[in-house]
C-alpha cells in the first residue's frame, strides 16, 4: 500500500496526493495526518489535489472528513490545485465540501492560512 507523504513547512503540513486513493490508503492518510497535526502542533493543513484527475463521492467525503479531523485538532484545512473538471464533478455529485476552504494553488493556500491566523490573532487581542 502506498502512503501519501506529509511535508512540514513551518507550522503547516502539506499533503500532495499523487496516487489513486483506495480505502486503505485514505485510512492511513487520515491516521498519519492526525498524528502529524498533534505531533507538530500544526495550525494548518494544505491538501494538494492538482494531480487528481477523477473524483467520486469517496474522494469528496475523504476531503471533508480530513478537514473535520484537522479542525477538531485545531488546524484549518485548505484544498489547493483543484481542476475545473474536478470542481464541476463535485458540484454535480452534490458534494459542497462544507467546512473545506479552497485556493487555486499552493502559494494562495499558504496565504489563506496566514490570513486566517492573522484574523484569529486580531480577534483574541480585542
Amino acid at each position: 500500500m502506498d502512503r501519501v507523504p506529509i511535508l512540514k513547512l513551518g507550522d503547516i503540513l502539506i499533503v500532495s496526493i499523487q496516487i489513486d486513493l483506495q480505502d486503505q490508503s485514505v485510512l492511513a492518510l487520515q491516521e498519519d495526518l492526525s498524528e502529524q497535526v498533534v505531533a507538530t502542533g500544526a495550525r494548518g493543513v494544505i491538501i494538494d489535489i492538482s494531480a487528481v484527475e477523477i473524483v467520486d463521492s469517496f474522494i469528496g467525503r475523504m476531503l471533508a472528513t480530513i478537514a473535520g479531523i484537522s479542525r477538531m485538532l485545531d488546524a484549518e484545512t485548505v484544498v489547493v490545485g483543484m481542476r475545473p473538471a474536478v470542481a464541476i464533478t463535485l458540484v454535480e455529485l452534490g458534494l459542497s465540501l462544507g467546512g473545506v476552504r479552497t485556493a487555486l494553488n499552493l502559494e494562495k493556500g499558504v496565504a489563506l492560512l496566514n490570513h486566517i491566523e492573522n484574523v484569529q490573532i486580531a480577534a483574541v487581542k480585542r
Side-chain angles (χ1 to χ4, degrees):
M1 171 183 66
D2 291 326
R3 287 187 108 75
V4 177
I6 300 170
L7 307 172
K8 184 176 180 302
L9 176 67
D11 54 1
I12 297 172
L13 297 176
I14 301 172
V15 176
S16 183
I17 299 175
Q18 302 290 320
I19 60 170
D20 288 333
L21 294 174
Q22 306 301 323
D23 290 357
Q24 290 300 325
S25 56
V26 167
L27 293 174
L29 174 58
Q30 290 174 351
E31 186 175 322
D32 293 347
L33 186 56
S34 60
E35 288 174 1
Q36 286 295 313
V37 168
V38 171
T40 64
R43 68 174 172 85
V45 173
I46 294 178
I47 302 174
D48 180 5
I49 62 168
S50 57
V52 175
E53 294 184 22
I54 300 172
V55 295
D56 56 13
S57 60
F58 173 73
I59 297 288
R61 286 192 310 274
M62 178 269 307
L63 293 171
T65 299
I66 287 176
I69 291 169
S70 297
R71 198 168 35 257
M72 295 292 283
L73 297 172
D74 200 27
E76 294 291 331
T77 300
V78 178
V79 174
V80 302
M82 188 177 300
R83 297 172 185 227
V86 170
I88 291 167
T89 301
L90 288 172
V91 170
E92 287 175 348
L93 290 172
L95 299 171
S96 63
L97 300 182
V100 178
R101 299 174 196 272
T102 60
L104 289 178
N105 56 41
L106 182 59
E107 183 178 7
K108 290 184 178 194
V110 171
L112 177 58
L113 286 174
N114 288 334
H115 174 73
I116 292 167
E117 181 182 36
N118 291 338
V119 168
Q120 290 172 342
I121 289 170
V124 169
K125 289 183 177 179
R126 288 185 193 166

